[in-house]
Amino acid sequence: MSATILATALAIAQLALVLAMAMAVVRMLRGPRAQDRVLALDALYLNCMLLLVTLGIRTGSVFFFEASLIIAMLGFVATVALAKFLMRGEVIE
Amino acid sequence: MTPMAEVPLWAAIPIAALLLIGAGLTFIGSVGLMRLSSFYDRIHAPTLGSSWGTAGIVMASMGYFSVLQGRPVLHEFLLGVFVTVTTPVTLTLLARAAVFRDRTEGNPDVPAREPLPPAAGAAPADGEPS
C-alpha cells in the first residue's frame, strides 16, 4: 500500500519536474534576450537538481545527494559569472 | 521497489504529499517562466521552485531516508540551505545586469537612473558599456 502511494507520487513528481525542465529549455531557446536565457539556465539546473533528489528517493541510494549538491554549487557559480558577463562584458577584470 | 514497501503508511502519506507539493510548485514556476511576457515578470517565477519546491522535495527526501534507516538523516538540509542562500544572490545580480543593459540602450520600459546628490562631488559617470 505505502509502496503504491510512494511510487505513484514519485512518478507524478518526476513527470512534473521533467515538464518543468522542458519549459525552461523552451524559454532558453526562444528567450528574446541574453538575460532570459541565463534565467532559463538557472531554472533548468535547479529543476535538474530536484529531479536527481527524487531519483535518489526512487532508488533508495544517498549518492544522488552528492551529485545534486555539486550541481547546485556549479550552477550558482555559473549564473553569477554569466550575470557578471552580461553587466561588464568580461568575467574577471 | 523493495525499500519503498518497508515505509509505514503513516510516513508514506506525508512524504508523498511533500513530493507532490514540491514538484507541483516547481512546475507552476516553470509555466510562469515560459508564459509571462516581460523579463522582469519572468524573473519572479522560478523562485517558486527554489523556495517551496526545493523545501518540499528536500523534506520528503529527509523523511524517507530517516524512516528507512531508522535514524535522523539530515544531510539534505544542506541542499535546502544552499539553494535558499544562493538564489537571491544570483537573481539580484541578474536583475541588476538586465536593468543596466536596458538603461544603456535607453529602453523606455525601465525607469531612468536617479541623479546622485550633488554632494557626491564630480558628476556621476552615466553607465557606459565597457
Side-chain angles (χ1 to χ4, degrees), chain A residues 2 9-10 13 16 20 23 27 30 33 35-36 39 46-47 56-58 65 69 73 76 86-88, chain B residues 4 7 16 26-27 30-31 33-34 39 42-43 50 64-65 75 79 82 86 90 100-102 105 130:
Chain A
S2 61
L10 270 173
M23 283 187 285
R27 175 51 72 191
R30 206 173 66 177
R33 306 211 53 204
Q35 52 259 38
D36 292 293
L39 179 64
L46 208 82
N47 293 345
I57 297 178
R58 178 180 285 279
F65 161 73
L69 199 62
M73 286 183 169
F76 166 64
L86 289 186
M87 181 116 77
R88 289 310 222 169
Chain B
M4 278 186 210
V7 178
T26 311
F27 178 73
S30 284
V31 171
L33 178 70
M34 195 178 69
F39 173 76
R42 282 197 286 270
I43 200 166
S50 61
Y64 180 74
F65 285 110
H75 58 238
L79 202 62
F82 193 78
T86 57
T90 55
F100 178 79
R101 282 167 65 107
D102 279 343
E105 294 167 2
S130 56

mmCIF file of all heavy atoms in Angstrom, chain A residues 2 9-10 13 16 20 23 27 30 33 35-36 39 46-47 56-58 65 69 73 76 86-88, chain B residues 4 7 16 26-27 30-31 33-34 39 42-43 50 64-65 75 79 82 86 90 100-102 105 130:
data_model
loop_
_atom_site.group_PDB
_atom_site.id
_atom_site.type_symbol
_atom_site.label_atom_id
_atom_site.label_comp_id
_atom_site.label_asym_id
_atom_site.label_seq_id
_atom_site.Cartn_x
_atom_site.Cartn_y
_atom_site.Cartn_z
ATOM 1 N N SER A 2 1.800 1.321 0.975
ATOM 2 C CA SER A 2 2.655 2.506 1.034
ATOM 3 C C SER A 2 3.588 2.556 -0.171
ATOM 4 O O SER A 2 3.914 3.642 -0.660
ATOM 5 C CB SER A 2 3.455 2.508 2.326
ATOM 6 O OG SER A 2 4.276 1.366 2.385
ATOM 7 N N ALA A 9 3.326 8.849 -6.337
ATOM 8 C CA ALA A 9 3.723 10.234 -6.090
ATOM 9 C C ALA A 9 5.061 10.538 -6.758
ATOM 10 O O ALA A 9 5.250 11.613 -7.337
ATOM 11 C CB ALA A 9 3.810 10.502 -4.595
ATOM 12 N N LEU A 10 5.991 9.569 -6.710
ATOM 13 C CA LEU A 10 7.297 9.787 -7.339
ATOM 14 C C LEU A 10 7.168 9.911 -8.847
ATOM 15 O O LEU A 10 7.807 10.777 -9.459
ATOM 16 C CB LEU A 10 8.226 8.621 -7.013
ATOM 17 C CG LEU A 10 9.061 8.753 -5.763
ATOM 18 C CD1 LEU A 10 9.778 7.470 -5.497
ATOM 19 C CD2 LEU A 10 10.048 9.869 -5.940
ATOM 20 N N ALA A 13 5.687 13.315 -9.583
ATOM 21 C CA ALA A 13 6.651 14.378 -9.293
ATOM 22 C C ALA A 13 7.736 14.418 -10.361
ATOM 23 O O ALA A 13 8.130 15.498 -10.829
ATOM 24 C CB ALA A 13 7.268 14.164 -7.915
ATOM 25 N N ALA A 16 6.352 15.921 -13.511
ATOM 26 C CA ALA A 16 6.202 17.375 -13.398
ATOM 27 C C ALA A 16 7.558 18.056 -13.524
ATOM 28 O O ALA A 16 7.690 19.094 -14.193
ATOM 29 C CB ALA A 16 5.539 17.737 -12.072
ATOM 30 N N ALA A 20 8.808 20.638 -16.324
ATOM 31 C CA ALA A 20 9.338 21.948 -15.944
ATOM 32 C C ALA A 20 10.670 22.196 -16.634
ATOM 33 O O ALA A 20 10.943 23.301 -17.122
ATOM 34 C CB ALA A 20 9.497 22.030 -14.432
ATOM 35 N N MET A 23 10.043 23.131 -20.199
ATOM 36 C CA MET A 23 9.603 24.513 -20.394
ATOM 37 C C MET A 23 10.747 25.496 -20.215
ATOM 38 O O MET A 23 10.825 26.517 -20.909
ATOM 39 C CB MET A 23 8.459 24.818 -19.441
ATOM 40 C CG MET A 23 7.184 24.209 -19.950
ATOM 41 S SD MET A 23 5.791 24.692 -19.015
ATOM 42 C CE MET A 23 6.033 23.712 -17.591
ATOM 43 N N ARG A 27 12.110 28.220 -22.996
ATOM 44 C CA ARG A 27 12.412 29.634 -22.747
ATOM 45 C C ARG A 27 13.858 29.940 -23.112
ATOM 46 O O ARG A 27 14.172 31.006 -23.614
ATOM 47 C CB ARG A 27 12.110 29.967 -21.288
ATOM 48 C CG ARG A 27 12.476 31.344 -20.851
ATOM 49 C CD ARG A 27 11.951 32.417 -21.757
ATOM 50 N NE ARG A 27 10.518 32.597 -21.656
ATOM 51 C CZ ARG A 27 9.822 33.333 -22.509
ATOM 52 N NH1 ARG A 27 10.430 33.948 -23.498
ATOM 53 N NH2 ARG A 27 8.531 33.446 -22.377
ATOM 54 N N ARG A 30 14.024 30.198 -26.900
ATOM 55 C CA ARG A 30 13.190 31.221 -27.500
ATOM 56 C C ARG A 30 13.508 32.601 -26.964
ATOM 57 O O ARG A 30 13.297 33.589 -27.651
ATOM 58 C CB ARG A 30 11.728 30.878 -27.210
ATOM 59 C CG ARG A 30 10.756 31.436 -28.213
ATOM 60 C CD ARG A 30 9.386 30.916 -27.937
ATOM 61 N NE ARG A 30 8.875 31.410 -26.667
ATOM 62 C CZ ARG A 30 7.667 31.138 -26.214
ATOM 63 N NH1 ARG A 30 6.882 30.352 -26.900
ATOM 64 N NH2 ARG A 30 7.247 31.613 -25.071
ATOM 65 N N ARG A 33 16.176 37.813 -25.187
ATOM 66 C CA ARG A 33 17.446 38.457 -24.881
ATOM 67 C C ARG A 33 18.327 37.519 -24.069
ATOM 68 O O ARG A 33 17.895 36.465 -23.617
ATOM 69 C CB ARG A 33 17.191 39.737 -24.092
ATOM 70 C CG ARG A 33 16.221 40.648 -24.809
ATOM 71 C CD ARG A 33 16.503 42.073 -24.523
ATOM 72 N NE ARG A 33 17.886 42.402 -24.799
ATOM 73 C CZ ARG A 33 18.502 43.422 -24.228
ATOM 74 N NH1 ARG A 33 17.870 44.179 -23.360
ATOM 75 N NH2 ARG A 33 19.751 43.682 -24.511
ATOM 76 N N GLN A 35 19.563 37.839 -21.078
ATOM 77 C CA GLN A 35 19.221 37.616 -19.676
ATOM 78 C C GLN A 35 18.105 36.591 -19.518
ATOM 79 O O GLN A 35 18.059 35.876 -18.505
ATOM 80 C CB GLN A 35 18.859 38.930 -18.978
ATOM 81 C CG GLN A 35 17.820 39.762 -19.646
ATOM 82 C CD GLN A 35 18.461 40.895 -20.406
ATOM 83 O OE1 GLN A 35 19.511 40.713 -20.989
ATOM 84 N NE2 GLN A 35 17.863 42.068 -20.408
ATOM 85 N N ASP A 36 17.201 36.483 -20.514
ATOM 86 C CA ASP A 36 16.175 35.445 -20.450
ATOM 87 C C ASP A 36 16.806 34.060 -20.518
ATOM 88 O O ASP A 36 16.383 33.130 -19.827
ATOM 89 C CB ASP A 36 15.195 35.612 -21.604
ATOM 90 C CG ASP A 36 14.376 36.860 -21.465
ATOM 91 O OD1 ASP A 36 13.580 36.922 -20.533
ATOM 92 O OD2 ASP A 36 14.553 37.780 -22.274
ATOM 93 N N LEU A 39 18.436 33.263 -17.181
ATOM 94 C CA LEU A 39 17.411 32.929 -16.187
ATOM 95 C C LEU A 39 16.863 31.526 -16.430
ATOM 96 O O LEU A 39 16.654 30.755 -15.474
ATOM 97 C CB LEU A 39 16.292 33.965 -16.268
ATOM 98 C CG LEU A 39 15.129 33.764 -15.315
ATOM 99 C CD1 LEU A 39 15.610 33.895 -13.903
ATOM 100 C CD2 LEU A 39 14.051 34.779 -15.593
ATOM 101 N N LEU A 46 18.254 24.103 -11.549
ATOM 102 C CA LEU A 46 17.528 23.878 -10.300
ATOM 103 C C LEU A 46 16.561 22.695 -10.440
ATOM 104 O O LEU A 46 16.493 21.835 -9.550
ATOM 105 C CB LEU A 46 16.770 25.145 -9.929
ATOM 106 C CG LEU A 46 16.558 25.310 -8.457
ATOM 107 C CD1 LEU A 46 17.805 25.895 -7.846
ATOM 108 C CD2 LEU A 46 15.386 26.191 -8.213
ATOM 109 N N ASN A 47 15.833 22.647 -11.560
ATOM 110 C CA ASN A 47 14.897 21.543 -11.769
ATOM 111 C C ASN A 47 15.641 20.216 -11.910
ATOM 112 O O ASN A 47 15.171 19.184 -11.422
ATOM 113 C CB ASN A 47 14.067 21.791 -13.028
ATOM 114 C CG ASN A 47 13.146 22.967 -12.857
ATOM 115 O OD1 ASN A 47 12.930 23.412 -11.753
ATOM 116 N ND2 ASN A 47 12.611 23.443 -13.946
ATOM 117 N N GLY A 56 17.038 9.875 -6.260
ATOM 118 C CA GLY A 56 17.626 9.255 -5.075
ATOM 119 C C GLY A 56 16.578 8.604 -4.194
ATOM 120 O O GLY A 56 16.808 7.538 -3.621
ATOM 121 N N ILE A 57 15.397 9.232 -4.070
ATOM 122 C CA ILE A 57 14.327 8.608 -3.285
ATOM 123 C C ILE A 57 13.873 7.325 -3.969
ATOM 124 O O ILE A 57 13.646 6.302 -3.320
ATOM 125 C CB ILE A 57 13.149 9.588 -3.114
ATOM 126 C CG1 ILE A 57 13.591 10.810 -2.333
ATOM 127 C CG2 ILE A 57 12.002 8.914 -2.371
ATOM 128 C CD1 ILE A 57 12.506 11.824 -2.161
ATOM 129 N N ARG A 58 13.770 7.356 -5.307
ATOM 130 C CA ARG A 58 13.266 6.182 -6.017
ATOM 131 C C ARG A 58 14.217 4.996 -5.886
ATOM 132 O O ARG A 58 13.793 3.870 -5.667
ATOM 133 C CB ARG A 58 13.056 6.512 -7.492
ATOM 134 C CG ARG A 58 12.578 5.343 -8.307
ATOM 135 C CD ARG A 58 12.376 5.726 -9.742
ATOM 136 N NE ARG A 58 11.184 6.516 -9.957
ATOM 137 C CZ ARG A 58 9.967 5.998 -10.059
ATOM 138 N NH1 ARG A 58 9.786 4.720 -9.946
ATOM 139 N NH2 ARG A 58 8.935 6.773 -10.269
ATOM 140 N N PHE A 65 22.476 12.487 -3.721
ATOM 141 C CA PHE A 65 22.516 13.747 -2.975
ATOM 142 C C PHE A 65 23.796 14.521 -3.262
ATOM 143 O O PHE A 65 23.779 15.732 -3.460
ATOM 144 C CB PHE A 65 22.397 13.452 -1.477
ATOM 145 C CG PHE A 65 22.858 14.580 -0.617
ATOM 146 C CD1 PHE A 65 22.095 15.731 -0.504
ATOM 147 C CD2 PHE A 65 24.063 14.513 0.053
ATOM 148 C CE1 PHE A 65 22.526 16.778 0.267
ATOM 149 C CE2 PHE A 65 24.493 15.558 0.822
ATOM 150 C CZ PHE A 65 23.727 16.697 0.931
ATOM 151 N N LEU A 69 24.204 18.205 -4.924
ATOM 152 C CA LEU A 69 24.915 19.295 -4.244
ATOM 153 C C LEU A 69 25.944 19.930 -5.176
ATOM 154 O O LEU A 69 26.082 21.167 -5.218
ATOM 155 C CB LEU A 69 25.596 18.742 -2.990
ATOM 156 C CG LEU A 69 25.995 19.758 -1.935
ATOM 157 C CD1 LEU A 69 24.772 20.465 -1.416
ATOM 158 C CD2 LEU A 69 26.707 19.081 -0.797
ATOM 159 N N MET A 73 26.062 23.859 -6.531
ATOM 160 C CA MET A 73 27.223 24.760 -6.381
ATOM 161 C C MET A 73 27.706 25.277 -7.731
ATOM 162 O O MET A 73 27.908 26.484 -7.913
ATOM 163 C CB MET A 73 28.363 24.015 -5.698
ATOM 164 C CG MET A 73 28.131 23.814 -4.231
ATOM 165 S SD MET A 73 29.529 23.015 -3.493
ATOM 166 C CE MET A 73 29.110 23.236 -1.784
ATOM 167 N N PHE A 76 25.284 27.778 -9.269
ATOM 168 C CA PHE A 76 25.378 29.105 -8.640
ATOM 169 C C PHE A 76 26.539 29.898 -9.222
ATOM 170 O O PHE A 76 26.384 31.053 -9.648
ATOM 171 C CB PHE A 76 25.541 28.930 -7.128
ATOM 172 C CG PHE A 76 25.969 30.174 -6.409
ATOM 173 C CD1 PHE A 76 25.164 31.287 -6.384
ATOM 174 C CD2 PHE A 76 27.193 30.223 -5.765
ATOM 175 C CE1 PHE A 76 25.558 32.430 -5.733
ATOM 176 C CE2 PHE A 76 27.592 31.358 -5.106
ATOM 177 C CZ PHE A 76 26.777 32.463 -5.092
ATOM 178 N N LEU A 86 27.165 39.648 -18.440
ATOM 179 C CA LEU A 86 26.153 40.497 -19.077
ATOM 180 C C LEU A 86 26.331 41.951 -18.666
ATOM 181 O O LEU A 86 26.086 42.865 -19.441
ATOM 182 C CB LEU A 86 24.754 40.044 -18.683
ATOM 183 C CG LEU A 86 24.253 38.745 -19.252
ATOM 184 C CD1 LEU A 86 22.816 38.546 -18.871
ATOM 185 C CD2 LEU A 86 24.380 38.761 -20.748
ATOM 186 N N MET A 87 26.759 42.160 -17.426
ATOM 187 C CA MET A 87 26.877 43.536 -16.935
ATOM 188 C C MET A 87 28.143 44.203 -17.473
ATOM 189 O O MET A 87 28.122 45.355 -17.885
ATOM 190 C CB MET A 87 26.904 43.509 -15.413
ATOM 191 C CG MET A 87 27.008 44.868 -14.799
ATOM 192 S SD MET A 87 25.577 45.277 -13.859
ATOM 193 C CE MET A 87 25.783 44.376 -12.379
ATOM 194 N N ARG A 88 29.254 43.468 -17.511
ATOM 195 C CA ARG A 88 30.548 44.091 -17.769
ATOM 196 C C ARG A 88 31.165 43.725 -19.098
ATOM 197 O O ARG A 88 32.084 44.404 -19.547
ATOM 198 C CB ARG A 88 31.529 43.695 -16.659
ATOM 199 C CG ARG A 88 31.228 44.333 -15.340
ATOM 200 C CD ARG A 88 31.053 45.802 -15.486
ATOM 201 N NE ARG A 88 31.719 46.504 -14.401
ATOM 202 C CZ ARG A 88 31.910 47.815 -14.403
ATOM 203 N NH1 ARG A 88 31.524 48.524 -15.440
ATOM 204 N NH2 ARG A 88 32.472 48.397 -13.400
ATOM 205 N N MET B 4 10.735 0.679 -0.763
ATOM 206 C CA MET B 4 9.545 1.505 -0.560
ATOM 207 C C MET B 4 8.485 0.790 0.252
ATOM 208 O O MET B 4 7.705 1.414 0.964
ATOM 209 C CB MET B 4 8.946 1.898 -1.905
ATOM 210 C CG MET B 4 9.621 3.076 -2.529
ATOM 211 S SD MET B 4 8.732 3.526 -3.995
ATOM 212 C CE MET B 4 10.054 4.180 -4.940
ATOM 213 N N VAL B 7 8.376 1.276 4.165
ATOM 214 C CA VAL B 7 7.959 2.539 4.780
ATOM 215 C C VAL B 7 6.528 2.381 5.275
ATOM 216 O O VAL B 7 5.657 1.969 4.521
ATOM 217 C CB VAL B 7 8.045 3.684 3.752
ATOM 218 C CG1 VAL B 7 7.561 4.980 4.354
ATOM 219 C CG2 VAL B 7 9.458 3.834 3.263
ATOM 220 N N ALA B 16 4.657 11.491 0.354
ATOM 221 C CA ALA B 16 4.076 11.655 -0.978
ATOM 222 C C ALA B 16 3.492 13.045 -1.146
ATOM 223 O O ALA B 16 3.646 13.678 -2.199
ATOM 224 C CB ALA B 16 2.998 10.590 -1.207
ATOM 225 N N THR B 26 7.270 23.655 -8.389
ATOM 226 C CA THR B 26 8.331 23.862 -9.379
ATOM 227 C C THR B 26 7.760 23.922 -10.786
ATOM 228 O O THR B 26 8.167 24.741 -11.615
ATOM 229 C CB THR B 26 9.347 22.719 -9.270
ATOM 230 O OG1 THR B 26 9.692 22.560 -7.911
ATOM 231 C CG2 THR B 26 10.580 23.018 -10.055
ATOM 232 N N PHE B 27 6.783 23.046 -11.038
ATOM 233 C CA PHE B 27 6.134 23.028 -12.355
ATOM 234 C C PHE B 27 5.424 24.353 -12.624
ATOM 235 O O PHE B 27 5.554 24.933 -13.711
ATOM 236 C CB PHE B 27 5.146 21.859 -12.382
ATOM 237 C CG PHE B 27 4.376 21.740 -13.646
ATOM 238 C CD1 PHE B 27 4.994 21.292 -14.795
ATOM 239 C CD2 PHE B 27 3.043 22.069 -13.692
ATOM 240 C CE1 PHE B 27 4.285 21.178 -15.956
ATOM 241 C CE2 PHE B 27 2.332 21.961 -14.853
ATOM 242 C CZ PHE B 27 2.955 21.506 -15.994
ATOM 243 N N SER B 30 7.862 26.995 -13.545
ATOM 244 C CA SER B 30 8.375 26.916 -14.907
ATOM 245 C C SER B 30 7.327 27.324 -15.924
ATOM 246 O O SER B 30 7.672 27.883 -16.966
ATOM 247 C CB SER B 30 8.877 25.511 -15.196
ATOM 248 O OG SER B 30 10.107 25.328 -14.559
ATOM 249 N N VAL B 31 6.046 27.055 -15.623
ATOM 250 C CA VAL B 31 4.989 27.562 -16.509
ATOM 251 C C VAL B 31 5.053 29.080 -16.559
ATOM 252 O O VAL B 31 4.966 29.697 -17.632
ATOM 253 C CB VAL B 31 3.608 27.080 -16.022
ATOM 254 C CG1 VAL B 31 2.508 27.776 -16.800
ATOM 255 C CG2 VAL B 31 3.467 25.597 -16.193
ATOM 256 N N LEU B 33 7.679 30.889 -16.015
ATOM 257 C CA LEU B 33 8.885 31.272 -16.764
ATOM 258 C C LEU B 33 8.628 31.255 -18.258
ATOM 259 O O LEU B 33 9.143 32.084 -18.999
ATOM 260 C CB LEU B 33 10.017 30.307 -16.405
ATOM 261 C CG LEU B 33 11.334 30.517 -17.125
ATOM 262 C CD1 LEU B 33 11.986 31.777 -16.647
ATOM 263 C CD2 LEU B 33 12.248 29.345 -16.919
ATOM 264 N N MET B 34 7.792 30.312 -18.708
ATOM 265 C CA MET B 34 7.547 30.229 -20.139
ATOM 266 C C MET B 34 6.485 31.216 -20.591
ATOM 267 O O MET B 34 6.567 31.744 -21.692
ATOM 268 C CB MET B 34 7.120 28.806 -20.500
ATOM 269 C CG MET B 34 7.198 28.537 -21.981
ATOM 270 S SD MET B 34 6.763 26.876 -22.399
ATOM 271 C CE MET B 34 5.032 26.852 -22.064
ATOM 272 N N PHE B 39 10.690 40.331 -19.043
ATOM 273 C CA PHE B 39 11.757 39.687 -18.266
ATOM 274 C C PHE B 39 11.588 39.933 -16.779
ATOM 275 O O PHE B 39 11.834 39.058 -15.959
ATOM 276 C CB PHE B 39 13.117 40.221 -18.729
ATOM 277 C CG PHE B 39 14.254 39.741 -17.887
ATOM 278 C CD1 PHE B 39 14.722 38.454 -18.013
ATOM 279 C CD2 PHE B 39 14.820 40.571 -16.945
ATOM 280 C CE1 PHE B 39 15.753 38.002 -17.229
ATOM 281 C CE2 PHE B 39 15.857 40.126 -16.155
ATOM 282 C CZ PHE B 39 16.325 38.841 -16.297
ATOM 283 N N ARG B 42 9.168 37.576 -15.480
ATOM 284 C CA ARG B 42 9.628 36.190 -15.536
ATOM 285 C C ARG B 42 10.643 35.879 -14.451
ATOM 286 O O ARG B 42 10.757 34.740 -14.031
ATOM 287 C CB ARG B 42 10.272 35.931 -16.899
ATOM 288 C CG ARG B 42 9.301 35.721 -18.000
ATOM 289 C CD ARG B 42 9.975 35.076 -19.169
ATOM 290 N NE ARG B 42 10.827 35.978 -19.897
ATOM 291 C CZ ARG B 42 10.425 36.719 -20.912
ATOM 292 N NH1 ARG B 42 9.194 36.661 -21.313
ATOM 293 N NH2 ARG B 42 11.263 37.501 -21.542
ATOM 294 N N ILE B 43 11.388 36.897 -13.999
ATOM 295 C CA ILE B 43 12.451 36.588 -13.026
ATOM 296 C C ILE B 43 11.862 36.156 -11.688
ATOM 297 O O ILE B 43 12.533 35.521 -10.886
ATOM 298 C CB ILE B 43 13.391 37.802 -12.888
ATOM 299 C CG1 ILE B 43 14.720 37.359 -12.297
ATOM 300 C CG2 ILE B 43 12.778 38.885 -12.048
ATOM 301 C CD1 ILE B 43 15.790 38.387 -12.437
ATOM 302 N N SER B 50 12.581 27.438 -6.321
ATOM 303 C CA SER B 50 13.764 27.433 -5.460
ATOM 304 C C SER B 50 13.409 27.682 -4.004
ATOM 305 O O SER B 50 14.269 27.510 -3.153
ATOM 306 C CB SER B 50 14.773 28.475 -5.941
ATOM 307 O OG SER B 50 14.216 29.739 -5.882
ATOM 308 N N TYR B 64 11.959 10.338 4.095
ATOM 309 C CA TYR B 64 12.047 8.991 3.549
ATOM 310 C C TYR B 64 13.273 8.254 4.074
ATOM 311 O O TYR B 64 13.178 7.135 4.584
ATOM 312 C CB TYR B 64 12.083 9.076 2.027
ATOM 313 C CG TYR B 64 12.185 7.751 1.331
ATOM 314 C CD1 TYR B 64 11.091 6.899 1.263
ATOM 315 C CD2 TYR B 64 13.369 7.343 0.752
ATOM 316 C CE1 TYR B 64 11.175 5.683 0.639
ATOM 317 C CE2 TYR B 64 13.471 6.130 0.116
ATOM 318 C CZ TYR B 64 12.365 5.306 0.060
ATOM 319 O OH TYR B 64 12.467 4.101 -0.561
ATOM 320 N N PHE B 65 14.445 8.906 3.987
ATOM 321 C CA PHE B 65 15.655 8.209 4.424
ATOM 322 C C PHE B 65 15.705 8.067 5.940
ATOM 323 O O PHE B 65 16.284 7.105 6.453
ATOM 324 C CB PHE B 65 16.904 8.927 3.898
ATOM 325 C CG PHE B 65 17.126 8.690 2.439
ATOM 326 C CD1 PHE B 65 16.956 9.686 1.520
ATOM 327 C CD2 PHE B 65 17.479 7.430 1.990
ATOM 328 C CE1 PHE B 65 17.148 9.460 0.179
ATOM 329 C CE2 PHE B 65 17.673 7.192 0.649
ATOM 330 C CZ PHE B 65 17.502 8.215 -0.266
ATOM 331 N N HIS B 75 21.247 15.230 6.068
ATOM 332 C CA HIS B 75 22.210 15.941 5.219
ATOM 333 C C HIS B 75 21.551 16.645 4.044
ATOM 334 O O HIS B 75 22.144 17.553 3.484
ATOM 335 C CB HIS B 75 23.329 15.013 4.758
ATOM 336 C CG HIS B 75 22.877 13.821 4.003
ATOM 337 N ND1 HIS B 75 23.161 12.545 4.410
ATOM 338 C CD2 HIS B 75 22.134 13.698 2.892
ATOM 339 C CE1 HIS B 75 22.631 11.699 3.563
ATOM 340 N NE2 HIS B 75 21.992 12.370 2.640
ATOM 341 N N LEU B 79 21.367 20.978 1.276
ATOM 342 C CA LEU B 79 20.936 21.364 -0.070
ATOM 343 C C LEU B 79 19.915 22.495 0.003
ATOM 344 O O LEU B 79 20.012 23.490 -0.732
ATOM 345 C CB LEU B 79 20.329 20.141 -0.733
ATOM 346 C CG LEU B 79 20.257 20.067 -2.232
ATOM 347 C CD1 LEU B 79 21.638 20.105 -2.790
ATOM 348 C CD2 LEU B 79 19.561 18.802 -2.612
ATOM 349 N N PHE B 82 21.591 25.720 1.041
ATOM 350 C CA PHE B 82 22.429 26.272 -0.028
ATOM 351 C C PHE B 82 21.586 26.949 -1.099
ATOM 352 O O PHE B 82 21.873 28.082 -1.518
ATOM 353 C CB PHE B 82 23.266 25.144 -0.629
ATOM 354 C CG PHE B 82 24.361 25.633 -1.499
ATOM 355 C CD1 PHE B 82 25.520 26.131 -0.932
ATOM 356 C CD2 PHE B 82 24.236 25.615 -2.861
ATOM 357 C CE1 PHE B 82 26.526 26.601 -1.725
ATOM 358 C CE2 PHE B 82 25.245 26.081 -3.662
ATOM 359 C CZ PHE B 82 26.390 26.581 -3.093
ATOM 360 N N THR B 86 21.647 30.970 -2.011
ATOM 361 C CA THR B 86 22.238 31.439 -3.264
ATOM 362 C C THR B 86 21.233 32.044 -4.235
ATOM 363 O O THR B 86 21.613 32.884 -5.041
ATOM 364 C CB THR B 86 22.973 30.305 -3.979
ATOM 365 O OG1 THR B 86 22.053 29.253 -4.194
ATOM 366 C CG2 THR B 86 24.134 29.830 -3.175
ATOM 367 N N THR B 90 21.970 35.271 -6.884
ATOM 368 C CA THR B 90 22.058 35.171 -8.339
ATOM 369 C C THR B 90 20.988 36.010 -9.019
ATOM 370 O O THR B 90 21.267 36.705 -9.997
ATOM 371 C CB THR B 90 21.901 33.713 -8.783
ATOM 372 O OG1 THR B 90 20.691 33.208 -8.259
ATOM 373 C CG2 THR B 90 23.035 32.887 -8.317
ATOM 374 N N PHE B 100 20.807 47.306 -16.072
ATOM 375 C CA PHE B 100 21.946 48.032 -16.650
ATOM 376 C C PHE B 100 21.914 47.987 -18.167
ATOM 377 O O PHE B 100 22.085 49.015 -18.839
ATOM 378 C CB PHE B 100 23.234 47.406 -16.111
ATOM 379 C CG PHE B 100 24.481 48.033 -16.659
ATOM 380 C CD1 PHE B 100 24.945 49.234 -16.154
ATOM 381 C CD2 PHE B 100 25.188 47.419 -17.665
ATOM 382 C CE1 PHE B 100 26.082 49.801 -16.652
ATOM 383 C CE2 PHE B 100 26.331 47.979 -18.164
ATOM 384 C CZ PHE B 100 26.775 49.183 -17.658
ATOM 385 N N ARG B 101 21.645 46.816 -18.722
ATOM 386 C CA ARG B 101 21.612 46.698 -20.188
ATOM 387 C C ARG B 101 20.472 47.508 -20.771
ATOM 388 O O ARG B 101 20.638 48.176 -21.789
ATOM 389 C CB ARG B 101 21.444 45.223 -20.571
ATOM 390 C CG ARG B 101 22.716 44.435 -20.468
ATOM 391 C CD ARG B 101 22.420 42.968 -20.543
ATOM 392 N NE ARG B 101 21.885 42.600 -21.845
ATOM 393 C CZ ARG B 101 22.574 41.933 -22.749
ATOM 394 N NH1 ARG B 101 23.788 41.551 -22.493
ATOM 395 N NH2 ARG B 101 22.043 41.624 -23.902
ATOM 396 N N ASP B 102 19.296 47.445 -20.109
ATOM 397 C CA ASP B 102 18.159 48.191 -20.649
ATOM 398 C C ASP B 102 18.406 49.697 -20.567
ATOM 399 O O ASP B 102 18.016 50.445 -21.467
ATOM 400 C CB ASP B 102 16.891 47.826 -19.879
ATOM 401 C CG ASP B 102 16.312 46.529 -20.385
ATOM 402 O OD1 ASP B 102 16.691 46.118 -21.492
ATOM 403 O OD2 ASP B 102 15.498 45.907 -19.680
ATOM 404 N N GLU B 105 20.745 50.907 -23.271
ATOM 405 C CA GLU B 105 20.115 51.024 -24.578
ATOM 406 C C GLU B 105 19.041 52.099 -24.612
ATOM 407 O O GLU B 105 18.446 52.329 -25.668
ATOM 408 C CB GLU B 105 19.482 49.687 -24.955
ATOM 409 C CG GLU B 105 20.505 48.597 -25.174
ATOM 410 C CD GLU B 105 19.859 47.234 -25.222
ATOM 411 O OE1 GLU B 105 18.626 47.172 -25.117
ATOM 412 O OE2 GLU B 105 20.600 46.259 -25.342
ATOM 413 N N SER B 130 31.427 48.867 -21.034
ATOM 414 C CA SER B 130 32.884 48.793 -21.042
ATOM 415 C C SER B 130 33.339 47.766 -22.086
ATOM 416 O O SER B 130 32.558 46.928 -22.497
ATOM 417 C CB SER B 130 33.401 48.397 -19.673
ATOM 418 O OG SER B 130 32.820 47.191 -19.268
#
